[in-house]
Amino acid sequence: MDDRASRRAALLASMALLAFSALTALAIVSWLHRGPAVWTWKGVLAAGCAVLAVTTSALVWRLPSRTHAVIGIAIMLASLARVGAPSEWTWVSFALVAVTFVLLMPLVHAAIVLRDDE
């Protein structure tokens, strides 16, 4: 791929990570509003993934590489651990999984298009 396509893929991947982080932060805020018991392992995992997603977004944007895109994919997939077992899912769980997979698409594309670190 040419350099322009690589830069565009990195930009879209970075924006997807920022959107993921913003939506996760919004979910944490609404969760805090709903009840005081937000800081369970699920809340800590969500907050950690949001912070790591912002950091990885900066890396993908400033130093685009396949490794950084794969790290972003791993962070987003790790955040799905908070959803729980499929037998406990609600419509919110389905929405969370669907939005996460939609936001994963630019990262997967960037992982395919970008070169390895050298």
Side-chain angles (χ1 to χ4, degrees):
M1 286 262 163
D2 62 17
D3 190 43
R4 186 173 177 207
S6 296
R7 283 184 295 175
R8 180 172 166 77
L11 176 67
L12 290 175
S14 178
M15 289 176 15
L17 281 165
L18 284 177
F20 168 78
S21 185
L23 289 172
T24 301
L26 182 66
I28 291 172
V29 168
S30 67
W31 204 358
L32 275 170
H33 182 68
R34 202 177 85 209
V38 70
W39 295 118
T40 62
W41 69 270
K42 291 180 179 185
V44 172
L45 176 67
C49 287
V51 170
L52 288 173
V54 169
T55 305
T56 307
S57 173
L59 287 172
V60 169
W61 180 52
R62 297 293 289 169
L63 304 168
S65 72
R66 180 175 291 146
T67 304
H68 294 142
V70 170
I71 290 170
I73 291 169
I75 290 168
M76 291 176 81
L77 290 176
S79 76
L80 290 177
R82 71 182 193 260
V83 174
S87 61
E88 304 169 354
W89 283 15
T90 63
W91 70 270
V92 175
S93 304
F94 284 105
L96 181 64
V97 170
V99 168
T100 301
F101 278 111
V102 167
L103 290 174
L104 270 171
M105 289 178 194
L107 285 159
V108 171
H109 181 267
I112 292 169
V113 170
L114 295 174
R115 296 186 311 224
D116 285 331
D117 291 333
E118 295 180 14

